[in-house]
Amino acid sequence: MHKHPHHWRRSLSLIPRSGTRLSSNIGLNGLAQACPLITNIILTPYLIGVLGPDGFGIWSLLFVLIATLTTLDGGVGASLTRFYAVHAARDDRVGSTRLLIGSLCVFLVAGLVITSVALAFAPAVVSRLHMAPSLRMQTTDMLGWLGPLVTLALASDSAEALLQANGRFLSLANITVASSAIYVVGVVLFTQSGDPFIALVPVTAARYLVILLGGLFAAARHLRLERPLLPAKPVRREFFHYATRMQASSLTSFFNGELDAFVIGALLPIRYVGIYAAGYQVASALRSLPLYAFPPILTRMTEAYARGGMDGAVGAFQALQSRWLPAVFGYGAVATAAASFGVQIWLGPHYLLGGLVAAVLMAGYSVHVGLTGMRTCFVRAVGQPGLETRYSVVTMVLNMILTVPLALLFGMVGVVSATAAALILASLYFMRLCRRLAGLREDSLPRQWFATISVAALLTVTGEIFVAATPWRGMLGLGMAGIPALLGLGVLCGRTVRRGLAPLAAYYGSHNDHI
């Protein structure tokens, strides 16, 4: 237990002060992370038209498998940013290079294993899915490329982590924008003739390859090759000890997203996977906006811990969390209201159920991100991922217990309701764990918060109802659906969003540097 809860104020002088840079890094990282999400949203109506509802369900299932297998990588990918940041703080370019080579070796072996398993079991898996016989051969062929795609996805994540840890967020944004542009052009050009499924595989591979090669080129000055090429045994032991706990934590993502798609695919026709994917895609995109602040904050909090110990990390948390919570909760209420209408406005009335999926998930995500966001950065920065592991296991168990009965009672909505409930309950448990570790506590929410958020949510719902009554659909409709959400956020901006986001940079700025 941290025994001097007020001593963190004296540690602020130990923390590097560069508020403007942190603010810009958050924006650039947000651009980098938003590009793939925006690209997928733009292409979804086009892919549904080219592939058909069942074909889009199959393509969505392939992406679910890629996301699942990149999550189940032994925790290596989730641990890289933290360890790259430690090497960067020490200007240890040789250590960063060895970590990069080691991670690529692990990912290559993982890809070979996945390829072998996919080739052996793909026909049996496809035979159990509810789809037209004409689609089974195409699905089997696509699964044969699963291993190479997963390897490239993991390798590109390693290159991204290297750039984030060294503060190269402008380079990361440029590379991600370029890869997304190449992906859009490739999808449109190569799906016009022949088998669109076959064309989508190399285009997806090219997207990952651009990020990998571009990232390595941009990070070259932070690397230095020396023998031995792999990290020393003590370093490997420390990394995999950390990664093992991060893997257990990463299972939360699997059981809170990808597993839902598998359950729906097993119980319902394959087109429902596409409906779920549309709602999940919107909810994930909206959820991701606050998360864009994490890599810069984690890098800086790790540096604060390296220089100021536990007091430095606690000081960072206390300064940020009191503003983070109302900002995320306010944003989440508006985003939930917008998500419930956004999917059907975007894709048409046949995707009404997808809008309900997005709203339920977004409600759970908002509470989860608000309560656990800064705490996740804190426990990772101080080298205590075991706490994150414990609450992640609780999330997984709760989700498993709730999913089957709620799915049988309420179908797809029951599946995502189980996910949302598990996230909220486990977040409360994580708060308790962090309080025991370092005395981390919440400040009370602003007095006018509830009234402000109610007005913002009501304004958003009213505007979305109006947009839904118009003939606007597709990307035009989705853009129009964003206007009521912006108005709702405008209501929050004075008391919630502005007060919540300003300290993210002001905390690290000079005493006279305020946003």
Side-chain angles (χ1 to χ4, degrees):
M1 176 73 69
H2 186 69
K3 297 183 179 180
H4 303 286
H6 301 291
H7 183 61
W8 61 268
R9 292 183 177 86
R10 297 195 298 272
S11 70
L12 297 185
S13 60
L14 298 173
I15 301 172
R17 301 181 180 276
S18 52
T20 303
R21 182 181 178 187
L22 179 66
S23 180
S24 64
N25 284 346
I26 290 173
L28 291 169
N29 185 68
L31 174 61
Q33 304 304 319
C35 272
L37 295 173
I38 295 173
T39 299
N40 290 336
I41 289 174
I42 292 174
L43 287 177
T44 293
Y46 174 80
L47 289 175
I48 292 175
V50 171
L51 303 176
D54 287 352
F56 179 70
I58 294 170
W59 183 243
S60 300
L61 185 61
L62 179 66
F63 266 94
V64 167
L65 287 170
I66 293 173
T68 299
L69 294 172
T70 52
T71 300
L72 305 177
D73 65 342
V76 175
S79 305
L80 286 172
T81 300
R82 193 262 180 184
F83 280 86
Y84 279 138
V86 171
H87 289 311
R90 299 169 180 169
D91 195 25
D92 184 5
R93 290 178 289 172
V94 174
S96 294
T97 305
R98 290 170 179 165
L99 181 59
L100 172 65
I101 294 174
S103 66
L104 294 180
C105 290
V106 170
F107 297 152
L108 180 60
V109 172
L112 293 174
V113 172
I114 292 169
T115 299
S116 301
V117 173
L119 291 175
F121 294 99
V125 172
V126 171
S127 66
R128 297 181 179 275
L129 297 176
H130 304 281
M131 65 175 65
S134 59
L135 295 174
R136 296 189 186 279
M137 183 62 70
Q138 294 172 313
T139 306
T140 303
D141 292 340
M142 278 203 310
L143 291 178
W145 291 99
L146 187 60
L149 291 177
V150 170
T151 299
L152 288 173
L154 288 168
S156 67
D157 287 345
S158 184
E160 285 189 27
L162 181 60
L163 292 175
Q164 290 170 341
N166 286 280
R168 302 295 304 278
F169 291 97
L170 178 59
S171 298
L172 177 60
N174 290 334
I175 293 166
T176 308
V177 169
S179 69
S180 297
I182 290 172
Y183 180 68
V184 171
V185 172
V187 168
V188 174
L189 288 180
F190 294 107
T191 57
Q192 295 294 330
S193 60
D195 189 343
F197 285 105
I198 300 301
L200 287 172
V201 171
V203 172
T204 303
R207 182 182 195 175
Y208 295 134
L209 194 60
V210 169
I211 296 175
L212 172 61
L213 297 180
L216 294 180
F217 178 80
R221 71 182 186 183
H222 303 290
L223 302 171
R224 186 167 69 229
L225 187 64
E226 290 184 6
R227 292 183 179 274
L229 299 180
L230 297 176
K233 187 174 181 179
V235 178
R236 294 200 304 268
R237 186 183 301 114
E238 178 187 4
F239 182 88
F240 284 108
H241 180 76
Y242 186 99
T244 300
R245 285 154 178 77
M246 288 302 300
Q247 176 63 95
S249 301
S250 298
L251 285 173
T252 304
S253 300
F254 172 73
F255 281 96
N256 294 341
E258 283 72 27
L259 182 63
D260 289 352
F262 290 123
V263 172
I264 293 167
L267 297 178
L268 300 171
I270 193 68
R271 66 178 179 273
Y272 281 92
V273 177
I275 295 174
Y276 165 80
Y280 179 68
Q281 187 179 138
V282 169
S284 296
L286 293 173
R287 176 202 187 192
S288 296
L289 291 179
L291 302 184
Y292 296 154
F294 278 18
I297 288 175
L298 175 58
T299 298
R300 196 62 65 83
M301 195 176 289
T302 301
E303 189 178 22
Y305 176 70
R307 299 188 180 191
M310 184 66 79
D311 286 331
V314 171
F317 175 85
Q318 298 285 10
L320 298 174
Q321 177 64 9
S322 63
R323 305 298 184 178
W324 172 264
L325 185 63
V328 172
F329 275 15
Y331 164 79
V334 171
T336 300
S340 61
F341 294 91
V343 176
Q344 59 172 318
I345 294 173
W346 172 36
L347 299 176
H350 295 298
Y351 283 80
L352 174 64
L353 190 57
L356 187 55
V357 166
V360 172
L361 287 175
M362 191 60 211
Y365 289 157
S366 299
V367 178
H368 175 246
V369 172
L371 297 179
T372 68
M374 291 297 105
R375 288 178 170 83
T376 298
C377 291
F378 177 83
V379 298
R380 293 183 183 183
V382 303
Q384 295 290 334
L387 297 183
E388 189 179 354
T389 300
R390 289 170 63 180
Y391 106 85
S392 298
V393 171
V394 170
T395 308
M396 180 177 61
V397 172
L398 289 173
N399 203 356
M400 293 174 64
I401 292 173
L402 296 173
T403 293
V404 173
L406 290 181
L408 293 176
L409 288 172
F410 305 109
M412 185 188 303
V413 176
V415 173
V416 295
S417 296
T419 297
L423 284 171
I424 293 172
L425 294 174
S427 298
L428 298 174
Y429 175 66
F430 189 41
M431 291 175 61
R432 183 178 179 184
L433 293 177
C434 291
R435 183 176 299 178
R436 289 178 180 177
L437 172 68
L440 303 185
R441 294 179 179 273
E442 302 288 346
D443 290 340
S444 59
L445 292 173
R447 187 185 308 173
Q448 299 86 3
W449 180 82
F450 291 101
T452 304
I453 195 174
S454 298
V455 171
L458 181 61
L459 178 62
T460 303
V461 169
T462 303
E464 298 295 353
I465 292 174
F466 172 78
V467 176
T470 68
W472 296 324
R473 293 296 181 265
M475 290 307 301
L476 174 61
L478 187 60
M480 296 302 297
I483 294 177
L486 292 176
L487 294 176
L489 291 176
V491 172
L492 293 170
C493 196
R495 293 179 178 174
T496 304
V497 175
R498 180 166 51 82
R499 292 175 60 191
L501 296 183
L504 294 180
Y507 172 71
Y508 293 105
S510 64
H511 294 292
N512 296 320
D513 180 18
H514 299 285
I515 292 180

